[in-house]
Amino acid sequence: MFEARKVLVFLFVGIFLFYKIRILETMKKHREDSHVFIILICGLSLLFVGTFLDTFANYLHNQYIYLIIHTCFTVGSILFIIGIILWSNLTKRIINELEEVAHLDSLTRVLNRKGILKEYEALAKKGETFYLIICDLDGTKLINDTMGHLEGDKFICNTSQILTKLVGRKGHVSRIGGDEFLIIVVDSDSQFVEKTIVSIKDKIYRLYLEKDFGISIGYAAHPVDGQLFEELIEVADTRMYEDKNKHKINTSILG
């Protein structure tokens, strides 16, 4: 009679081996990490063979059978432990990558609302002085209606690239809505912020060179204009709409 314990171990190792083989087959994005699963599969395969031979050892009349079983278990266990350690490190890295992706905007690849809020909380916690800049594109709907949504997406992507280039290492750029961006600027003063705003407006206007297209911008300083995220957003939003109204007035005069 077979020992129930050995049969259960044999089945468990077999199922786990099958599971790892299936994972290896479906790995595409992390193909360069397939060696982790190969090591695990090799270790599990040796354990599987060792368990199989151990289960039927009494029926296999071979003087070397227990030496083979011992070798399978020893080498298999070593490979399995190494594989588990590598698998744990791989899992942590994948989780970090997923968290990073979760903080990025899918269209522009800049930070999303969740990502910029995380950066804000880190800076606010340190009590540092920084600026929040809200940017709202003018003319996106007109582009979507007259040139198509692909051109509208291009307008948004080009804007994100311009903002990222101008802000550089002095801050973080995020897309928090359809055509609305939020920037955090650190290690700077109001002169740099205002100079950056002028540059942003100029470069966005040059994308189409039409009076109906542009960008409205407002900013708030932490902690002068507020310490809470909502307070700063409200101040920056108010200034942004003031800027938008000025743009509308200028457009109507020019028109």
Side-chain angles (χ1 to χ4, degrees):
M1 294 291 292
F2 301 136
E3 292 184 29
R5 175 182 59 82
K6 292 181 179 180
V7 174
L8 289 174
V9 172
F10 173 70
L11 291 174
F12 173 77
V13 173
I15 293 170
F16 199 33
L17 175 61
F18 176 76
Y19 168 68
K20 289 302 175 187
I21 292 174
R22 291 294 297 165
I23 290 180
L24 181 62
E25 290 176 350
T26 56
M27 284 189 69
K28 293 180 180 179
K29 183 178 179 180
H30 296 276
R31 184 69 66 182
E32 70 278 5
D33 298 306
S34 59
H35 68 279
V36 174
F37 292 91
I38 291 173
I39 292 172
L40 268 173
I41 288 171
C42 288
L44 284 168
S45 297
L46 288 171
L47 290 173
F48 183 76
V49 172
T51 307
F52 176 82
L53 293 176
D54 190 36
T55 303
F56 296 95
N58 294 331
Y59 301 91
L60 300 173
H61 303 290
N62 189 311
Q63 59 179 331
Y64 300 109
I65 190 66
Y66 288 105
L67 176 61
I68 295 172
I69 292 172
H70 178 73
T71 302
C72 286
F73 280 144
T74 302
V75 178
S77 297
I78 292 172
L79 289 175
F80 182 71
I81 291 171
I82 293 172
I84 287 294
I85 293 172
L86 293 174
W87 185 27
S88 176
N89 293 334
L90 173 61
T91 302
K92 289 179 182 177
R93 196 172 84 241
I94 291 175
I95 290 173
N96 290 335
E97 289 177 3
L98 290 174
E99 288 180 350
E100 184 178 338
V101 170
H103 291 159
L104 293 179
D105 176 60
S106 58
L107 176 64
T108 61
R109 308 310 294 173
V110 297
L111 293 174
N112 56 22
R113 181 180 288 271
K114 186 177 180 181
I116 199 69
L117 185 58
K118 182 180 179 181
E119 296 295 340
Y120 164 81
E121 289 172 348
L123 290 169
K125 192 174 182 180
K126 295 177 182 178
E128 295 187 10
T129 298
F130 55 89
Y131 296 84
L132 256 64
I133 306 174
I134 287 184
C135 306
D136 189 59
L137 289 172
D138 301 319
T140 308
K141 186 178 184 305
L142 182 60
I143 291 176
N144 288 335
D145 293 342
T146 58
M147 304 181 195
H149 284 82
L150 288 178
E151 187 65 26
D153 288 346
K154 184 179 177 182
F155 184 32
I156 291 171
C157 289
N158 287 338
T159 298
S160 70
Q161 292 172 7
I162 289 170
L163 297 178
T164 301
K165 186 175 181 179
L166 288 175
V167 173
R169 296 184 178 181
K170 285 187 173 290
H172 309 280
V173 177
S174 69
R175 179 180 174 226
I176 58 173
D179 57 359
E180 193 171 18
F181 294 85
L182 178 62
I183 305 169
I184 291 181
V185 175
V186 297
D187 299 327
S188 300
D189 53 23
S190 59
Q191 288 184 334
F192 173 82
V193 172
E194 290 172 1
K195 182 180 177 181
T196 301
I197 289 174
V198 172
S199 298
I200 291 171
K201 284 178 170 290
D202 178 63
K203 290 187 177 296
I204 298 300
Y205 174 74
R206 289 177 183 275
L207 289 175
Y208 291 98
L209 295 175
E210 293 284 345
K211 66 180 186 301
D212 293 322
F213 304 118
I215 189 167
S216 300
I217 303 175
Y219 74 91
H222 176 280
V224 177
D225 294 317
Q227 296 189 358
L228 298 178
F229 184 75
E230 293 77 10
E231 292 174 342
L232 294 170
I233 289 293
E234 185 177 355
V235 172
D237 227 20
T238 300
R239 292 172 178 170
M240 184 270 291
Y241 278 109
E242 289 174 356
D243 186 48
K244 188 178 287 289
N245 289 331
K246 288 179 183 177
H247 181 251
K248 287 180 180 179
I249 293 171
N250 292 335
T251 300
S252 62
I253 292 174
L254 291 172

